[in-house]
Amino acid sequence: MYNTWEELEKAINNCQKCKLCNGRTNIVFGVGNKSADIMFIGEGPGADEDRLGEPFVGKAGQLMNKAFFGLGIKRENVYIANIVKCRPPQNRVPEKDEAFACMDYLRNQVILVKPKIIVLLGSTALKNILSEDRSITRERGNWIKSGDILYMPTWHPAALLRDETKKIQFWKDLKLVKDKAQKESLKT
Ligand code: URA
């Protein structure tokens, strides 16, 4: 556990804790407000993210940005990270050992940001952050309280690209987040 962002970023620099280091161009650490009230956690970098070193800058990210814009959430007011920080080959789901190797970094980011709300984007985030037996289909759109944090599981934005009908549910879930944030005077 590192007490400062500088120490954490230095520790992750040149990480070789798992095999994903072999194919990466950039480590995709995280982006946004380092004392955000709301944090978004995705799965892992895709090709655009790997190239640019920033999470959610490709097609899925652009869709998420549209929802942010529509709901009045500013990307620079929230913090965005992923379960794994290096791109899995062919964008496959991160394997157990990869997610495990990267989890301490994410846990450290959460401790430093101290978010009140964490939005879990898709099944990989839900299962790795809360528990393996959870189901995104069953649990999306429902608040889950664990410790001091409220979790909102929702679809991964890439799922909206494959199935248009999920868009409305994604928007509804983020609207719940926006409404809760407004009620509690949280930064959005
Ligand atoms: N998908 C993710 O899960 N994370 C990103 O950063 C981009 C796409």
Side-chain angles (χ1 to χ4, degrees), residues 28-61:
V28 181
F29 180 68
V31 72
N33 187 326
K34 288 176 172 166
S35 46
D37 291 323
I38 307 175
M39 186 161 170
F40 289 77
I41 300 179
E43 181 174 293
D48 295 310
E49 290 78 17
D50 176 62
R51 187 168 46 84
L52 297 170
E54 182 172 330
F56 286 101
V57 290
K59 271 200 178 141

Side-chain angles (χ1 to χ4, degrees), residues 25 46 92 110 126 128-129 154 165 178-179 186 188:
T25 309
R92 65 157 169 72
V110 171
L126 174 64
N128 281 286
I129 299 291
T154 188
T165 64
K178 173 74 186 185
D179 289 348
L186 305 180
T188 59

Side-chain angles (χ1 to χ4, degrees), residues 163-177:
D163 177 358
E164 283 267 322
T165 64
K166 292 194 166 103
K167 269 190 191 170
I168 185 96
Q169 295 176 328
F170 181 74
W171 273 65
K172 275 189 184 159
D173 299 346
L174 291 198
K175 176 83 164 68
L176 290 175
V177 171

